[in-house]
Amino acid sequence: MNVIVVNGYEEMSDRAFAIMKDIVVKNPAAVLGLATGSTPIGLYRRMVADHAAAGTSYRAVRTVNLDEYAGLAPDHEQSYAYFMRTNLFDGIDILPENTHIENGIAEDAAAECARYNELLETLRQDIQVLGIGSNGHIAFNEPGTPFDMTTHVVDLTESTIRDNARLFAREEDVPRRAFTMGPKNIMNAARILILANGANKARAVYGLVRGEVTPSLPASILQHHPDCTLICDRAAAALLSDEKGVS
Ligand code: GLP
């Protein structure tokens, strides 16, 4: 794993943006695997600003998102579909039909998971952007998820519900279930870019980089990915005491 430690959130977002822009410029029809959460917002802001200033085009880009809350329609303000539109898609020239995310209100959850897995077979991510949960989850793959799982519906853990409650009016409004790509779909990406900032991510980042590869810390599977870059700030990197391999 290539580990890049930076001073803070803005520098993390700058470095992530440089990587994303390079991919889109070199391959205007790239498949971008995207993530939600507060972590990638700075990256998305830079993509929007650069599209306006430099005209980088996303007209042929396709996107696949990691996850979606079960029970939330795409126009619900807390849905990840809405998040992606407001934080990125509305600010660039991507075609809505080229953006993909699980349907949170699918009536047949198993059929929706199968549909998404088939889609991911045809749209292999050139790069997959990831954040990390404070418990080491990636997408909504909570501790204990077998590494060979594909898209599925999960029961969110109490810690994830608590972490995400800040984005809802009340903790009881946070959906208890979600659709998520599985670790196998994530590992299938040609390249992984995982971002982490803040002291509350330090234990998860330690497990990601130095811990045992175990489903107890889902992000640890990324140690087996051939092209994975972690960009994290000093607070998130605080437990990586040995600087070997860290730039
Ligand atoms: C949610 C998302 C993850 C994200 C995580 C961390 O659980 N499903 O994809 O990485 O939150 O969120 P944040 O970036 O806000 O810390």
Side-chain angles (χ1 to χ4, degrees):
M1 188 175 310
N2 177 25
V3 180
I4 301 171
V5 181
V6 296
N7 286 318
Y9 185 80
E10 299 306 325
E11 198 181 339
M12 178 189 80
S13 305
D14 285 342
R15 297 288 287 261
F17 167 67
I19 292 170
M20 290 292 272
K21 178 163 174 167
D22 186 59
I23 286 181
V24 172
V25 166
K26 285 189 177 136
N27 178 8
V31 177
L32 307 180
L34 300 178
T36 53
S38 47
T39 308
I41 288 178
L43 162 64
Y44 298 155
R45 285 208 182 112
R46 282 158 179 77
M47 290 167 75
V48 168
D50 168 75
H51 169 70
T56 304
S57 178
Y58 295 81
R59 269 196 91 71
V61 162
R62 283 80 46 84
T63 67
V64 287
N65 257 83
L66 291 170
D67 45 15
E68 179 60 284
Y69 285 117
L72 299 194
D75 57 357
H76 190 289
E77 286 191 11
Q78 304 297 345
S79 74
Y80 284 167
Y82 185 92
F83 174 101
M84 290 309 302
R85 282 201 305 282
T86 51
N87 285 291
L88 179 63
F89 299 153
D90 288 350
I92 57 177
D93 61 345
I94 196 160
L95 302 177
E97 59 269 34
N98 286 343
T99 68
H100 303 280
I101 189 164
E102 297 94 332
N103 175 10
I105 52 167
E107 279 182 19
D108 183 340
E112 176 59 9
C113 293
R115 179 193 73 82
Y116 210 62
N117 283 327
E118 276 168 35
L119 179 86
L120 293 170
E121 291 288 314
T122 59
L123 291 178
R124 182 188 180 212
Q125 307 96 308
D126 292 296
I127 189 165
Q128 177 65 59
V129 176
L130 295 173
I132 187 168
S134 61
N135 64 1
H137 76 236
I138 46 175
F140 269 134
N141 293 290
E142 298 282 26
T145 309
F147 288 143
D148 62 357
M149 274 193 99
T150 56
T151 306
H152 60 287
V153 177
V154 299
D155 292 318
L156 301 177
T157 63
E158 282 305 315
S159 89
T160 297
I161 291 166
R162 261 197 320 275
D163 282 355
N164 290 351
R166 69 185 192 281
L167 305 167
F168 289 78
R170 296 168 310 168
E171 189 167 318
E172 52 266 42
D173 294 340
V174 185
R176 266 43 188 174
R177 307 189 86 201
F179 289 88
T180 183
M181 277 190 207
K184 195 173 173 188
N185 307 110
I186 293 169
M187 288 295 282
N188 191 43
R191 191 169 169 187
I192 304 264
L193 174 60
I194 181 163
L195 308 176
N197 69 289
N200 67 322
K201 301 292 174 71
R203 284 173 63 90
V205 164
Y206 178 84
L208 159 67
V209 179
R210 299 243 196 276
E212 181 198 347
V213 177
T214 165
S216 306
L217 196 127
S220 64
I221 188 61
L222 300 175
Q223 290 175 30
H224 290 171
H225 195 282
D227 190 353
C228 179
T229 298
L230 163 68
I231 306 177
C232 62
D233 71 354
R234 296 206 178 277
L239 299 177
L240 304 177
S241 49
D242 156 22
E243 294 280 311
K244 199 163 149 245
V246 174
S247 59

